[in-house]
Amino acid sequence: MNKNNVAEKLSEILGLPLEVIEKKLGRTIRIMSYKGIDYAVLREDLGKYREGTTILLDDEKIIHGYPSIQRLALLEGVPLHMIDEIVVEEKMDGYNVRVTVTSGRVVVAITRGGYICPYTTARINKLYGDKIKEALREYEDIVLAGEVVGTENPYVVYEYPEAGGFDYFIFDTLKDGKLLPLRIRDEITEKYGLKHVPVLARLRKDDLVGLKKVIDDLDRRRREGVVIKDPEHRVPPLKYTTIYINIRDIQEGMKYPFDEGRGYLFSRIVRLICQVYEYNITGEELNRLAERLGKAILLPAVESLKERSKGRLIAATYKLVFPSEEDLNDYLEFIEELGVEAVVKIVGVSSRGIEVELMKLKDTHGYYSKILETGYSPLD
Ligand code: ATP
Ligand code: MG
């Protein structure tokens, strides 16, 4: 397809003026291809379409971006925003993946940003390809949205014993970009042998004691937090994360202080401030928490600087398992197209596939190098 045809087609599918599309094409609208499936990615909101929306050009199908979820600082906010009953689901710590089937019956996995990720697609197909095809034959207008979790992916590495390296937990179903009642998700996953995120409780919206109990339990189990939903999605969901994960995130992020940025650190400190207030944490317990926070900020950052001073690379390492060589090649093409700076090493071949180590160099590498070379601070 040439550029003019693409612009016309997009203008038609999205119902937006041709000039608008032409201006954005190649910039905030990006054209990509996966196994001969041409698609467009919206890299920022465009009219009523959310960032991360994907348009399958041949199918003329729009896969809307998954909506952003409002974060709560205080659990006391729950009764202010919900209607009557709430469903408390586990918020799993991985990455957001929408799944759809093309008219050619290819199951594709789309990341939050709107890209068909060849790695995620290959792994999900291997686990659930046939089941998803059957499910989406019956529910043909529906897009599945879920979290990929585990240690074998190039995005968010966090161990879930139940995930065995890589698994997919569905948390919502969407139709025309709208979240559908939770029972549709439960029906589909039950009927077709797919997994959904754990539903931890169904409570009245003002049962804060019950809600805190659920969150305390997650904190002890070192889990990320909850998403609180209206069973029918009549009002938007809310998210809330545990003290444990807020500190652990800081600890992880501060390995690469110049990558995660100041917003990353400050937002998590604000979460903790409100938690200390609402949970009324005082005295010795508060001192211990402050110490954990201080260590989480300082220690990983210093450790990385020492590593750099010894000449080591400051990079994040990921373990990936590709079901086939073709899958690996598709993925390599994909990251090259996106301009991801990465070193890829094949570390072994097993019955599960080709095991690969992927290293992504961090911006912190460059910043630390400069500091060590010049003695200058990059910040005032
Ligand atoms: P945003 O809410 O703006 O997308 P974000 O991209 O930083 O923020 P998170 O803070 O991780 O994402 O929170 C929202 C994400 O949580 C969802 O996009 C989804 O990937 C994930 N998630 C995990 N479990 C659930 C669940 N049970 N219901 C909905 N989303 C969930
Ligand atoms: Mg997340």
Side-chain angles (χ1 to χ4, degrees):
M1 244 184 281
N2 71 37
K3 206 170 160 178
N4 289 339
N5 291 346
V6 170
E8 271 169 28
K9 194 151 199 183
L10 274 173
S11 146
E12 215 170 278
I13 300 172
L14 297 172
L16 294 170
L18 188 58
E19 312 84 75
V20 172
I21 304 287
E22 278 171 339
K23 218 171 72 201
K24 310 256 171 182
L25 206 59
R27 281 183 267 268
T28 55
I29 305 177
R30 188 155 184 180
I31 305 300
M32 300 284 294
S33 181
Y34 167 74
K35 287 192 192 296
I37 302 165
D38 294 325
Y39 66 99
V41 179
L42 303 191
R43 300 172 69 204
E44 60 179 37
D45 291 356
L46 181 67
K48 62 174 182 171
Y49 302 101
R50 284 190 285 266
E51 176 184 347
T53 294
T54 302
I55 301 104
L56 302 177
L57 293 168
D58 289 326
D59 288 358
E60 305 193 355
K61 191 166 159 187
I62 304 170
I63 317 295
H64 292 264
Y66 186 79
S68 171
I69 300 178
Q70 174 67 49
R71 181 178 295 276
L72 276 182
L74 300 174
L75 292 170
E76 285 158 20
V78 171
L80 298 178
H81 303 291
M82 304 312 279
I83 300 176
D84 39 33
E85 196 196 348
I86 57 171
V87 178
V88 185
E89 292 179 2
E90 178 165 351
K91 180 178 195 299
M92 297 186 91
D93 193 5
Y95 59 106
N96 183 311
V97 171
R98 283 161 290 149
V99 168
T100 186
V101 179
T102 67
S103 59
R105 310 306 298 161
V106 181
V107 172
V108 290
I110 300 172
T111 60
R112 194 66 197 280
Y115 295 96
I116 298 177
C117 170
Y119 177 74
T120 312
T121 299
R123 295 289 308 255
I124 287 187
N125 262 291
K126 184 143 192 225
L127 280 174
Y128 300 118
D130 292 339
K131 291 174 174 171
I132 290 173
K133 271 183 222 170
E134 274 179 43
L136 296 186
R137 186 173 298 137
E138 181 179 350
Y139 296 84
E140 56 178 353
D141 301 332
I142 279 181
V143 170
L144 307 174
E147 198 83 347
V148 167
V149 299
T151 50
E152 294 170 1
N153 72 72
Y155 306 108
V156 179
V157 176
Y158 192 57
E159 193 175 338
Y160 280 87
E162 67 269 45
F166 184 106
D167 210 339
Y168 182 54
F169 294 86
I170 296 170
F171 47 68
D172 272 308
T173 53
L174 294 120
K175 187 174 175 173
D176 300 325
K178 299 227 162 51
L179 296 168
L180 298 177
L182 298 177
R183 80 184 113 76
I184 311 263
R185 169 199 73 193
D186 296 342
E187 202 175 283
I188 296 177
T189 48
E190 162 93 0
K191 198 161 161 190
Y192 291 98
L194 298 165
K195 292 183 184 165
H196 64 70
V197 292
V199 174
L200 303 170
R202 286 170 200 278
L203 304 171
R204 302 292 307 167
K205 68 169 183 173
D206 40 24
D207 183 3
L208 290 185
V209 174
L211 183 56
K212 278 189 179 155
K213 240 208 235 126
V214 171
I215 289 163
D216 287 348
D217 180 57
L218 287 173
D219 195 84
R220 270 194 295 277
R221 290 167 49 217
R222 308 186 163 191
R223 297 286 190 139
E224 187 186 15
V226 293
V227 180
I228 298 162
K229 295 177 180 171
D230 178 83
E232 307 287 325
H233 276 308
R234 290 167 296 176
V235 286
L238 303 166
K239 62 186 180 190
Y240 185 85
T241 48
T242 58
I243 292 180
Y244 174 82
I245 218 72
N246 292 338
I247 291 187
R248 204 246 15 203
D249 270 2
I250 291 175
Q251 197 182 331
E252 281 300 308
M254 287 303 286
K255 286 182 188 166
Y256 318 113
F258 290 96
D259 291 81
E260 298 307 346
R262 278 160 278 186
Y264 181 90
L265 183 58
F266 187 57
S267 62
R268 283 163 181 81
I269 291 176
V270 170
R271 294 175 204 171
L272 288 164
I273 293 169
C274 296
Q275 284 170 315
V276 168
Y277 162 76
E278 186 169 46
Y279 280 79
N280 193 24
I281 301 171
T282 55
E284 255 322 288
E285 203 188 343
L286 181 55
N287 282 335
R288 275 200 301 275
L289 186 59
E291 187 180 325
R292 270 166 72 199
L293 172 61
K295 284 183 170 169
I297 295 172
L298 198 56
L299 302 190
V302 173
E303 190 51 39
S304 292
L305 183 55
K306 283 187 188 161
E307 288 288 303
R308 184 66 209 112
S309 75
K310 290 178 197 147
R312 305 217 175 96
L313 293 181
I314 306 303
T317 307
Y318 302 88
K319 179 188 170 192
L320 306 179
V321 183
F322 290 90
S324 75
E325 206 176 311
E326 192 187 331
D327 297 324
L328 171 57
N329 290 332
D330 287 340
Y331 181 70
L332 293 179
E333 229 171 79
F334 173 69
I335 57 173
E336 192 181 323
E337 170 110 55
L338 289 188
V340 177
E341 259 192 71
V343 182
V344 178
K345 224 176 14 192
I346 296 181
V347 290
V349 180
S350 71
S351 56
R352 301 172 57 222
I354 307 166
E355 290 183 21
V356 163
E357 192 185 86
L358 176 85
M359 280 175 85
K360 291 188 198 163
L361 196 68
K362 292 289 187 175
D363 290 345
T364 298
H365 180 90
Y367 279 97
Y368 274 179
S369 305
K370 272 238 169 75
I371 293 175
L372 291 165
E373 278 160 27
T374 64
Y376 283 145
S377 171
L379 306 171
D380 191 20

